[in-house]
């Protein structure tokens, strides 16, 4: 609403006009509905409060569940399918839901609000402006301060016509929340109808309005409230407003579901009285509550034809059509206006595109179809759909179809032929349409190159329900990064997030990083592990990595990198750590903090961009059990074969590993309780108290060699090999005292420090900073001989190691890590910006 004198200053576009502003139709990516605080609906502009809300995982769109059908396909375009050919990118503006302290890029005044939907924000570069100011800004977007780490959308190629956005961006779906979309919509809309209260005003009446056969079939009416005595034109206007249709009321009419039509001069009077007071009614029976709004028949109308990706310099072409126009004649008239009338009509096609919020549907119209009949058919189905429908003229070129699906969970070390035969047996792949690329045979993973959309969809859905050798297969759609188009100054950031780490804070980080970066560079580790991410970036010449998780997650990613380093164009990417786990010792050493506590994700990315590059040693541990274990084969007990594990932080033998093992078992029994660092540390303390009576006899059960020299062990209960100067959630086990026998520990000196602890009390004193460990040795090659089964842990992963040899040695090249700059660390610790993540109340289905 606006004063008449203020109307000239109103620049906000009405929700009903949103489809006309779409440049490239891109569907939204909705998770199951939830509750989101301090947000406004982008359709009805009302506060969401406690209402069930749908949130796009890629952009800032928030809508009520019953408003979602009126949102159009105006999400961020994060990739192209081969038809687009442009290198410049425009701002992608979204109105409202900005911080109340937001400043306009043009006038520098406040443009945000927590009271109404106001202000415009580019969802790529993040600049903000008033609705009246943003039109002054240049159209081209440079991606802001994150430009060097954002993967430009024009460099990402993905043909995914038959796949949902959830599959394209590898977003995990909650199985309990997965429903047929039609049924889901039915429940949502019917619920909203039932919850709509009848007006208490006796002068008002509530009517159910359907916009076409589709709404009747789904039983999804909209409720409008009109005066009990109202002209049909007023009711039509209210019905159009309810469906966000910007057309003139005189072009529409109301019909009962019995096909009775109101003439424009009739008056709806539920009490059965005419406007002049005479008793009577327009209808023989009482006024029905349910109506259908219909478009009046026309002899001719103006049809807008969009030239798609043909570079013609106009947004659309207006063509008058009547009942005699076919698709062929429309194409002919469009080509005349484009000055291309000499070209063969067979080289072009007319495509109908429905731009609904959840899916962009394309249909090529046959040449002989009467366009007028097609328009009437769409309107009869749904007037709302007509408002969201466009017609594109495109060159009739068939692009080369190539869909890549990364499949893991296969038996390792097979040949290309063996993998092909295995997939033929279980997935019935077709030789002519599918090529098997055994790119990661040692890891049991292959890449399928598929030349048909329907075949790709069939295989992708079948993989979800297929197991080989009792191991579930996992499929991920992989985009193609056109590395040759990357700007020279770009070093994109590959983000791995473990959503199970850090009290489930990883879920919020996933959402924030998908918004701040290109979703194609953000990978969820529970959805296929790190290999799909590294494969996607395998041809990118320079990139960096951000790992969000605990020390175990960092070790997982570093291990995968070491295995496939030779397949990457960037063989030594620098790795930053956002600590989400319990100990987070590596994060502490690299100055990333003791654990994530809700800092602004944007500030985190800026810190990664400004971080220093440092080197860190990695170590290989060979575990060679020499005594038989409890595995019987043919009645003969055999020892385990030698096993190799990688170490980044530390390796513990004895009491340290035993506490980790108790914690690990407790978490396996009740995983739901281990969702906070405070609770996790409490479990560690409880396990430690139960070990107070242990004897110091570990030195009798093992022998130690350091650099080929025997080392006598003191009376200890635990032996720990340190690669970093942080242990057990930040404790300095080696100590800071000067000792002429040893050099000062560094993470890149090629040496490990060997420290002993006498028991749980000693470990507690080290944690409290009262003591340090017993320094035993410093070296680069270690051989430990176990004389009995002893608990062992490497970077927090514990197990019982049978008697035998443990050999620790340097593991190939050092890894490049990113260390947070001291100056940035001081700034972020002193003050923190408003978080860009949402405050979320999770609902039952896990959204």
């Amino acid at each position: 609403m606006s004063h008449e004198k203020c109307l000239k200053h109103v620049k906000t576009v009405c929700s009903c006009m949103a489809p006309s502003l779409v440049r490239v139709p891109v569907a939204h990516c909705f998770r199951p509905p939830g509750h989101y605080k301090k947000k406004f609906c982008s359709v009805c502009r009302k506060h969401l409060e406690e209402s069930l809300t749908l949130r796009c995982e890629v952009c800032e769109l928030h809508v009520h569940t019953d408003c979602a059908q009126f949102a159009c396909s105006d999400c961020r375009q994060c990739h192209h399918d081969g038809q687009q050919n442009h290198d410049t990118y425009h701002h992608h503006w979204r109105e409202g839901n900005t911080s109340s302290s937001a400043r306009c890029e043009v006038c520098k005044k406040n443009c945000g609000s927590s009271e109404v939907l106001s202000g415009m924000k580019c969802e790529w570069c993040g600049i903000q402006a008033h609705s009246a100011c943003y039109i002054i800004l240049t159209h081209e977007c440079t991606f802001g301060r994150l430009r060097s780490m954002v993967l430009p959308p024009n460099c990402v190629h993905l043909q995914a016509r038959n796949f949902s956005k959830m599959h394209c961006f590898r977003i995990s779906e909650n199985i309990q929340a997965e429903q047929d979309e039609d049924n889901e919509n039915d429940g949502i809309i019917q619920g909203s109808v039932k919850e709509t209260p009848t007006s208490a005003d006796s002068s008002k009446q509530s009517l159910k309005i359907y916009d076409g056969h589709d709404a009747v079939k789904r039983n999804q009416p909209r409720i409008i409230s009109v005066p009990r005595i109202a002209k049909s034109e007023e009711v039509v206007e209210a019905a159009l407003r309810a469906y966000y249709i910007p057309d003139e009321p005189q072009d529409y009419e109301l019909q009962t579901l019995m096909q009775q039509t109101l003439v424009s001069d009739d008056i709806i009077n539920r009490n059965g009285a005419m406007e002049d007071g005479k008793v009577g009614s327009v209808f023989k029976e009482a006024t029905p509550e349910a109506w259908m709004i219909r478009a009046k028949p026309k002899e001719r109308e103006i049809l807008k034809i969009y030239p798609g990706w043909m570079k013609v310099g106009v947004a659309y072409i207006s063509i008058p059509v009547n009942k005699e126009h076919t698709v062929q004649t429309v194409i002919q008239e469009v080509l005349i206006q484009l000055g291309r009338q000499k070209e063969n009509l067979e080289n072009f096609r007319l495509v109908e595109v429905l731009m609904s919020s959840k899916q962009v549907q394309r249909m090529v119209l046959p040449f002989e179809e009467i366009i007028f009949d097609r328009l009437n058919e769409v309107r009869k189905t749904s007037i709302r759909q007509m408002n969201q429908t466009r017609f594109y003229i495109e060159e009739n070129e068939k692009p080369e179809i190539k869909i890549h699906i990364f499949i893991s969970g296969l038996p390792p070390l097979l040949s290309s032929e063996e993998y092909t035969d295995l997939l033929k047996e279980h997935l019935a792949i077709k030789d002519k349409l599918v090529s098997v690329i055994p790119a990661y045979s040692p890891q049991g993973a292959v890449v399928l190159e598929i030349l048909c959309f329907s075949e790709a969809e069939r295989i992708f859905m079948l993989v979800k329900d297929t197991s080989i050798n009792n191991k579930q297969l996992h499929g991920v759609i992989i985009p193609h990064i056109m590395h040759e188009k990357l700007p020279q100054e770009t070093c994109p950031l590959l983000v791995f997030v473990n959503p199970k780490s850090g009290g489930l804070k990883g879920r919020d980080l996933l959402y924030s990083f998908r918004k701040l970066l290109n979703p194609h560079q953000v990978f969820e580790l529970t959805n296929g592990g790190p290999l799909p991410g590294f494969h996607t970036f395998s041809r990118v010449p320079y990139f960096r990595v951000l790992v969000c998780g605990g020390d175990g997650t960092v070790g997982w990613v570093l291990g995968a990198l070491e295995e496939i380093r030779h397949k990457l164009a960037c063989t030594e990417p620098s790795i930053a750590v956002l600590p989400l786990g319990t100990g987070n010792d590596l994060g502490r050493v690299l100055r990333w903090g003791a654990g994530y506590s809700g800092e602004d994700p944007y500030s985190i990315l800026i810190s990664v961009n400004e971080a220093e590059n440092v080197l860190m040693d990695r170590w290989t541990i060979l575990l060679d059990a020499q005594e038989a274990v409890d595995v019987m084969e043919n009645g003969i007990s055999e020892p385990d074969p030698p096993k190799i594990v990688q170490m980044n932080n530390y390796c513990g033998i004895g009491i340290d590993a035993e506490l980790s093992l108790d914690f690990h078992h407790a978490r396996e029994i009740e995983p739901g309780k281990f969702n906070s660092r405070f609770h996790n540390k409490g479990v560690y303390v409880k396990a430690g108290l139960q070990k107070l009576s242990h004897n110091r006899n570990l030195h009798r059960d093992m022998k130690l060699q350091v650099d080929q020299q025997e080392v006598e062990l003191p009376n200890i209960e635990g032996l720990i090999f340190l690669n970093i100067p942080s242990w057990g959630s930040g404790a300095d086990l080696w100590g800071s005292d000067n000792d002429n026998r040893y050099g000062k520990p560094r993470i890149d000196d090629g040496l490990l420090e060997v420290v002993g602890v006498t028991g749980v009390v000693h470990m507690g004193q080290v944690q409290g900073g009262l003591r340090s460990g017993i320094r035993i040795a410093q070296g680069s090659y270690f051989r430990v001989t176990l004389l009995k089964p002893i608990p062992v842990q490497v970077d927090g992963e514990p197990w019982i190691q049978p008697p035998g040899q443990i050999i620790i040695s340097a593991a190939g090249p050092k890894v490049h890590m990113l260390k947070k700059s001291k100056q940035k660390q001081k700034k972020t610790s002193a003050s923190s910006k408003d978080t860009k993540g949402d405050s979320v109340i999770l609902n039952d289905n896990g959204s």
Side-chain angles (χ1 to χ4, degrees):
M1 305 178 79
S2 169
H3 291 106
E4 187 175 355
K5 63 180 181 180
C6 299
L7 192 59
K8 60 183 179 182
H9 300 296
V10 176
K11 302 294 182 183
T12 301
V13 177
C14 182
S15 300
C16 66
M17 298 301 296
S20 65
L21 301 180
V22 175
R23 289 175 53 84
V24 180
V26 179
H28 291 283
C29 186
F30 293 125
R31 294 290 296 266
H35 297 280
Y36 303 96
K37 295 180 179 178
K38 299 179 181 179
K39 297 293 181 182
F40 292 86
C41 177
S42 294
V43 175
C44 69
R45 309 179 67 85
K46 296 178 182 177
H47 202 289
L48 294 172
E49 299 176 327
E50 297 301 319
S51 304
L52 269 180
T53 302
L54 290 172
R55 178 186 73 177
C56 179
E57 291 291 307
V58 178
C59 69
E60 277 284 1
L61 183 81
H62 292 73
V63 291
H64 292 102
T65 50
D66 54 344
C67 290
Q69 60 180 322
F70 304 108
C72 61
S73 304
D74 61 348
C75 192
R76 284 194 300 164
Q77 185 187 12
C78 300
H79 59 264
H80 67 88
D81 60 3
Q83 292 183 319
Q84 301 93 324
N85 184 20
H86 58 88
D87 294 323
T88 59
Y89 228 77
H90 291 84
H91 291 295
H92 189 274
W93 297 105
R94 177 76 59 198
E95 185 182 12
N97 290 324
T98 58
S99 168
S100 57
S101 59
R103 294 285 172 182
C104 177
E105 187 75 12
V106 178
C107 67
K108 308 303 180 186
K109 296 179 181 179
N110 187 291
C111 64
S113 173
S114 59
E115 304 296 328
V116 294
L117 196 71
S118 70
M120 306 293 290
K121 178 181 177 181
C122 174
E123 293 181 320
W124 282 111
C125 67
I127 64 170
Q128 300 170 97
H130 292 102
S131 298
C133 295
Y134 86 101
I135 54 176
I136 303 173
L137 295 168
T138 56
H139 296 300
E140 185 178 352
C141 180
T142 58
F143 302 107
R145 289 187 67 185
L146 302 179
R147 69 175 66 89
S148 63
M149 60 173 57
V150 171
L151 189 61
N154 61 302
C155 300
V156 184
H157 179 238
L158 179 63
Q159 295 173 311
R161 190 172 300 171
N162 288 23
F163 295 101
S164 73
K165 294 288 290 292
M166 301 285 279
H167 296 153
C168 293
F169 296 129
R170 307 163 305 279
I171 299 175
S172 296
E173 296 174 285
N174 190 318
I175 296 176
Q176 294 179 348
E178 284 183 337
Q179 308 179 35
D180 180 80
E181 186 177 338
D182 294 348
N183 294 337
E184 183 184 59
N185 285 343
D186 288 345
I188 290 172
I189 303 301
Q190 287 176 13
S192 64
V193 170
K194 291 175 184 177
E195 293 166 9
T196 303
T198 305
S199 174
D201 187 352
S202 59
S203 64
K204 298 277 189 178
Q205 61 176 322
S206 296
L207 302 176
K208 291 181 181 179
I209 303 294
Y210 295 90
D211 75 326
H213 295 318
D214 187 61
V216 174
K217 180 180 177 182
R218 297 169 182 261
N219 191 23
Q220 294 177 0
R222 298 284 285 178
I223 305 297
I224 64 171
S225 180
V226 295
R228 290 187 177 275
I229 299 178
K231 288 188 175 182
S232 66
E233 188 172 325
E234 295 174 0
V235 182
V236 169
E237 186 176 354
L240 290 175
R241 194 183 308 123
Y243 279 97
Y244 296 91
I245 306 297
D247 298 344
E248 295 295 330
Q250 55 264 31
D251 294 333
Y252 292 86
E253 61 188 9
L254 282 175
Q255 296 179 355
T256 70
L257 295 183
M258 309 288 290
Q259 301 301 318
Q260 293 173 289
T261 304
L262 279 169
V263 295
S264 58
D265 293 332
D266 287 338
I267 298 169
I268 296 178
N269 180 354
R270 193 167 186 175
N271 295 328
M274 299 296 289
E275 188 178 22
D276 57 7
K278 296 179 181 178
V279 177
S281 174
V282 177
F283 301 103
K284 294 179 181 178
E285 63 271 66
T287 305
E289 290 189 359
W291 301 81
M292 185 181 294
I293 186 167
R294 288 287 196 194
K296 291 180 180 179
K298 296 181 180 179
E299 295 297 322
R300 64 189 297 274
E301 60 180 292
I302 303 298
L303 184 65
K304 293 179 180 178
I305 306 293
Y306 291 77
W309 294 108
M310 298 164 57
K311 295 183 178 180
V312 295
V314 294
Y316 58 85
I317 295 167
S318 298
I319 299 291
V321 295
N322 54 36
K323 296 179 180 179
E324 298 178 356
H325 277 80
T326 62
V327 170
Q328 182 174 356
T329 55
V330 168
I331 293 177
Q332 189 173 7
E333 290 189 26
V334 171
L335 292 179
I336 292 174
Q337 291 202 28
L338 293 176
R340 303 176 66 170
Q341 59 270 24
K342 294 183 180 180
E343 298 191 34
N344 189 352
L345 293 180
E346 299 291 334
N347 295 334
F348 298 89
R349 62 189 177 197
L350 193 65
V351 182
E352 178 187 313
V353 178
L354 173 60
M355 306 185 299
S356 68
S357 60
K358 294 184 178 181
Q359 190 177 11
V360 176
Q361 299 176 349
R362 295 165 50 90
M363 183 174 69
V364 179
L365 301 179
F367 265 34
E368 64 278 3
E369 183 164 7
I370 303 295
I371 196 68
F372 218 72
D373 293 345
R374 181 60 196 162
L375 295 176
N376 290 331
E377 184 179 339
V378 174
R379 288 194 179 100
K380 286 180 180 178
T381 302
S382 170
I383 293 176
R384 169 186 56 84
Q385 287 186 16
M386 188 66 226
N387 192 41
Q388 296 176 341
T389 299
R390 278 185 183 176
F391 294 90
Y392 282 84
I393 184 171
E394 297 177 352
E395 295 186 21
N396 204 11
E397 296 178 355
K398 290 187 177 181
E400 184 182 8
I401 298 173
K402 280 187 181 179
I403 303 107
H404 293 91
I405 299 180
F406 187 99
I407 296 183
S408 56
L410 295 166
L413 301 173
L414 299 184
S415 66
S416 177
E417 292 76 16
E418 289 173 321
Y419 279 125
T420 302
D421 293 340
L422 197 64
L423 293 174
K424 280 183 179 178
E425 178 185 349
H426 290 86
L427 301 179
I429 63 172
K430 302 173 183 176
D431 286 335
K432 294 182 180 179
L433 300 176
V434 183
S435 302
V436 179
I437 306 171
Y440 305 97
S441 176
Q443 293 79 30
V446 299
V447 177
L448 300 186
E449 185 177 271
I450 308 171
L451 307 180
C452 173
F453 284 123
S454 58
E455 178 69 2
E457 186 179 22
R458 184 190 69 81
I459 291 174
F460 183 78
M461 301 307 293
L462 192 58
V463 164
K464 294 182 178 181
D465 302 318
T466 302
S467 298
I468 296 179
N469 297 338
N470 295 323
K471 190 173 182 181
Q472 175 66 45
L473 295 188
H474 196 92
V476 177
I477 299 170
I478 297 294
H480 170 61
I481 297 180
M482 306 169 70
H483 60 92
E484 66 279 358
K485 295 185 70 174
L486 287 170
Q488 283 189 338
E489 69 279 4
T490 299
C491 183
L493 184 68
L494 173 59
V495 181
F496 292 113
V497 181
N498 187 348
K500 295 183 178 179
S501 296
L504 305 181
K505 289 186 176 70
R507 291 181 180 176
D508 294 336
L509 284 172
L510 271 169
Y511 171 67
S512 297
F513 287 142
R514 286 191 186 114
K515 287 194 307 176
L516 293 169
L517 302 170
N518 191 323
H520 286 299
Q521 61 191 110
V522 181
F523 287 78
E524 188 176 340
L525 284 171
T526 54
N527 194 8
L531 279 182
F534 283 125
H535 175 75
T536 302
F537 276 63
S538 60
R539 299 179 67 186
V540 177
Y542 303 102
F543 68 92
R544 287 174 292 182
V545 179
L546 172 62
V547 183
C548 307
D551 289 339
T553 302
V554 177
W556 183 15
V557 174
L558 288 175
L561 173 62
E562 189 64 33
E563 290 178 353
I564 65 165
R565 186 189 301 274
H566 61 285
K567 295 181 178 291
L568 303 178
C570 178
T571 57
E572 296 180 345
S574 299
I575 297 175
V577 177
L578 180 57
L580 297 181
T582 303
N584 302 319
D585 290 289
L586 184 57
R588 297 169 194 263
V589 170
L590 297 174
R591 301 199 194 111
W592 294 105
Y596 177 71
S597 56
E599 293 87 352
D600 180 14
Y602 179 79
S603 298
I604 293 171
L605 294 179
I606 294 295
S607 298
V608 172
N609 203 29
E610 298 174 354
E612 309 164 10
N613 194 43
V614 297
L615 295 174
M616 186 182 78
D617 299 320
R618 293 191 77 231
W619 300 83
T620 296
I621 301 179
L622 174 65
L623 304 164
D624 188 4
Q626 295 178 349
E627 281 196 11
V629 292
D630 297 332
V631 177
M632 301 294 292
E633 293 185 7
N634 300 323
I636 301 175
S637 181
E638 295 184 358
D640 276 339
K643 186 171 72 170
I644 294 177
V645 296
Q646 302 293 328
M647 184 188 88
N648 303 305
N649 300 352
Y650 39 71
C651 169
I653 302 175
I655 186 65
D656 169 50
E658 193 170 346
L659 293 179
S660 293
L661 194 62
D662 289 346
F663 174 83
H664 187 72
H665 288 158
R667 185 167 57 181
E668 284 185 337
I669 294 172
E670 295 180 300
K673 291 185 176 181
F674 291 76
N675 55 11
S676 74
R677 282 191 288 270
F678 182 78
H679 176 269
N680 295 352
K681 290 179 180 179
V683 175
Y684 268 117
V685 171
K686 182 179 178 181
L689 293 174
Q690 296 171 350
K691 310 290 182 184
L692 286 174
S693 60
H694 269 228
N695 297 320
R696 305 182 197 173
N697 56 7
L698 182 67
H699 60 287
R700 299 175 186 171
D701 301 327
M702 61 184 292
K703 296 179 181 179
L704 174 65
Q705 279 187 5
V706 180
D707 294 335
Q708 310 295 330
Q709 300 294 321
E710 291 284 346
V711 175
E712 185 177 350
L713 294 174
N715 293 348
I716 56 174
E717 193 58 35
L719 188 69
I720 300 161
F721 299 83
L722 297 171
N723 185 42
I724 61 175
S726 178
W727 166 85
S729 301
D732 185 3
L733 190 59
W734 181 258
S736 56
D737 296 340
N738 292 326
D739 192 332
N740 295 330
R741 296 176 299 166
Y742 309 112
K744 185 178 180 180
R746 298 201 324 268
I747 65 174
D748 62 344
D749 57 4
L751 300 173
L752 286 179
E753 288 70 47
V754 186
V755 187
V757 291
T758 59
V760 173
V761 174
H762 187 185
M763 292 170 63
Q765 291 171 331
V766 172
Q767 292 278 355
L770 303 176
R771 289 180 63 185
S772 58
I774 302 172
R775 297 180 181 180
I776 296 175
Q778 190 179 48
S780 59
Y781 183 84
F782 307 87
R783 180 187 293 269
V784 180
T785 303
L786 301 184
L787 304 178
K788 60 179 284 189
I790 295 177
V792 174
Q793 67 100 353
V794 175
D795 293 342
E797 298 299 322
W799 68 91
I800 299 292
Q801 180 62 26
Q805 302 288 325
I806 298 178
I807 299 174
I808 305 176
S809 58
K814 303 176 190 294
V815 292
H816 292 254
M817 305 298 292
L818 289 172
K819 191 173 185 178
K820 192 174 185 179
S821 64
K822 286 186 177 180
Q823 185 178 5
K824 190 69 184 177
Q825 190 182 28
K826 290 178 183 177
K827 287 182 180 179
T828 53
S829 61
S831 62
S832 179
K833 294 181 181 179
D834 291 338
T835 180
K836 292 195 176 188
D838 293 327
S839 178
V840 179
I841 302 173
L842 299 179
N843 63 357
D844 293 337
N845 60 16
S847 63

